[in-house]
Amino acid sequence: MTAAAACVAVLLTPAGVQAAPHDAHHGQPGKKPRAPHTLRLTQGSDGRSDAPSLSADGRYAVFTSSATNLVPGDTNGASDVFLRDLRTGRTQRVGTDAAGGQSGFGATAGAISASGRYAVFVSASTDLIPGEVHDGPAVYRRDLRSGEVRYVGRDLGGSVRWALHASVSADGRYVAFASSEAVPRPGAVVAVRDMRTGELTKMPLRLHRSTNPLLSDDGSVLVYTCSSYWPIDNSASDAMVADPQAGTHRSLHTTPDGVRGNGRVSQAGVSGDGRYASFTSTATDLGPEDTNGAGANVFVRNLRTDALRIVEAPDPALSTADGALSGNGRYLLFRAFATGSDAGTWYLRDLRNGRTRVAIADADGAPVQVDTGDRPLDARARTVAFSSVADNLAPGPHSPEADAYVRRLPRPNALVPHWSPKNDRGPVSDISETGPDL
């Protein structure tokens, strides 16, 4: 068993229970494969917890919560960003000053680096860094090893600016963030800050709002989504990929002829190694055969070869959305649903061999409505993080609102019945077999 697999086995074992000596993924003779196991991170909390993300090795989960009883001394009356060490069970606040003092206005929109050392968050507090005052929500980076807190930014031109969310490279050097403005016109811009040199690189404005930036582990690949305010009944949208250091950028949402697709696009994502990008679109002209008509689908693009594949549900008549890639792009977490109000079912698909299995379910194995963060999967797709208001996902007391969870995923040979790889159009050999060395 690898070190990463051992870590996951330990972190999802309840206190006082010894982890199994072998990883069921390896199919040890005579060993019964372990069932999926879900752990509530916010057991008995008195507030709402939202959409956690994971470090690459699956050891750390970061999430936002309005709860006041997750750590001692939480008296600011505001939401905070928290970090859970899944190996030790320790929970700490991230959005504090260097000494651990709480911020007056709390923090939101937390994200963690692949290495687990750095976290970024948005805060309107003026007391995080001595002598440094920012009169609006801004992005900060915290070194979880030393405690150092550094200002990243929010000022991207215009006025009445406030930061929205951020992403950080594995080594903490690059931080991408979006900043909104009201003057001279409503909009939002994405930029990347080099924390070593201080250089700020703004992405060219595409449509009116550029939001939801996400960086690859080395910071060389940035994806983000764009949208317009009009036409009101069918406003334009796009998904972009950029190399912040080289200054290049292009649309992900293009047909084989290089023309933008004819549908609405959202939810851009990128694998940790920067080789694959994903997005959700209602387009019908992107190339791969689409069997659900005007319904949405997740698409995965190989950024080296530009090959594009459509990811359809086990029932191809359903829509797919909310795609999230593993570290090397081999695995995709996604949701399949019939209508916008349908909670749907969350699946994990091996894009190399087409194998699909249910990834998130309640204690009875039934579909459940959940929300996920920007990085809900660890690098090897062995753990998924999410939040939900459901009360039967894990033992123990639940909060009156949504809780944050992590779940060890089912064994990889648990196939979804009545599904075959022919329903997932695209070159299955396009996804590399090996993952990053963790």
Side-chain angles (χ1 to χ4, degrees), residues 20-338:
H22 297 291
D23 188 341
H25 289 190
H26 292 266
Q28 297 293 332
K31 296 290 184 179
K32 183 180 179 180
R34 292 175 298 178
H37 178 74
T38 302
L39 175 69
R40 183 182 288 112
L41 302 181
T42 51
Q43 188 138 280
S45 68
D46 59 6
R48 179 182 181 85
S49 300
D50 293 315
S53 290
L54 291 169
S55 59
D57 63 1
R59 175 171 176 175
Y60 300 101
V62 65
F63 58 93
T64 300
S65 180
S66 62
T68 65
N69 60 345
L70 293 177
V71 297
D74 187 348
T75 59
N76 61 7
S79 293
D80 289 291
V81 173
F82 295 87
L83 179 82
R84 175 70 168 260
D85 185 331
L86 297 167
R87 182 182 297 173
T88 67
R90 178 176 180 248
T91 299
Q92 69 179 90
R93 271 192 291 187
V94 170
T96 66
D97 62 24
Q102 69 178 350
S103 60
F105 294 105
T108 60
I112 191 168
S113 67
S115 68
R117 176 172 176 175
Y118 297 93
V120 291
F121 59 91
V122 174
S123 179
S125 296
T126 59
D127 51 3
L128 293 174
I129 302 175
E132 191 164 11
V133 178
H134 305 286
D135 58 346
V139 177
Y140 295 86
R141 188 198 72 177
R142 184 182 185 90
D143 185 330
L144 298 170
R145 184 180 301 171
S146 68
E148 178 192 36
V149 178
R150 292 186 59 185
Y151 173 76
V152 178
R154 70 181 182 91
D155 303 332
L156 298 179
S159 61
V160 195
R161 299 170 294 272
W162 58 94
L164 301 172
H165 34 243
S167 176
V168 59
S169 63
D171 62 0
R173 175 172 178 175
Y174 300 103
V175 179
F177 65 98
S179 181
S180 186
E181 66 183 33
V183 179
R185 64 177 183 178
V189 182
V190 164
V192 177
R193 173 84 71 185
D194 185 332
M195 300 299 291
R196 184 178 300 171
T197 67
E199 181 180 3
L200 182 69
T201 303
K202 288 191 276 188
M203 297 299 106
L205 186 62
R206 174 73 172 158
L207 303 175
H208 297 102
R209 289 176 53 83
S210 297
T211 57
N212 301 104
L214 190 62
L215 284 168
S216 62
D217 290 347
D218 66 1
S220 67
V221 179
L222 168 71
V223 297
Y224 56 98
T225 55
C226 306
S227 61
S228 181
Y229 294 117
W230 58 76
I232 296 176
D233 57 343
N234 187 26
S235 55
S237 56
D238 207 346
M240 304 296 293
V241 59
D243 182 334
Q245 286 79 60
T248 59
H249 64 282
R250 63 185 176 93
S251 173
L252 291 167
H253 192 238
T254 55
T255 69
D257 297 329
V259 179
R260 283 187 61 239
N262 61 10
R264 289 190 56 77
V265 61
S266 60
Q267 302 170 328
V270 65
S271 59
D273 63 7
R275 180 172 178 180
Y276 301 95
S278 62
F279 58 91
T280 299
S281 176
T282 60
T284 58
D285 62 347
L286 293 182
E289 183 180 350
D290 187 350
T291 59
N292 68 0
N297 282 110
V298 176
F299 292 82
V300 176
R301 188 177 289 279
N302 185 325
L303 299 179
R304 295 181 187 173
T305 67
D306 213 35
L308 184 70
R309 63 187 298 167
I310 188 172
V311 178
E312 293 186 320
D315 176 355
L318 299 179
S319 293
T320 61
D322 303 310
L325 291 161
S326 63
N328 68 337
R330 174 172 173 173
Y331 297 96
L332 178 80
L333 178 75
F334 65 96
R335 181 173 65 96
F337 59 98

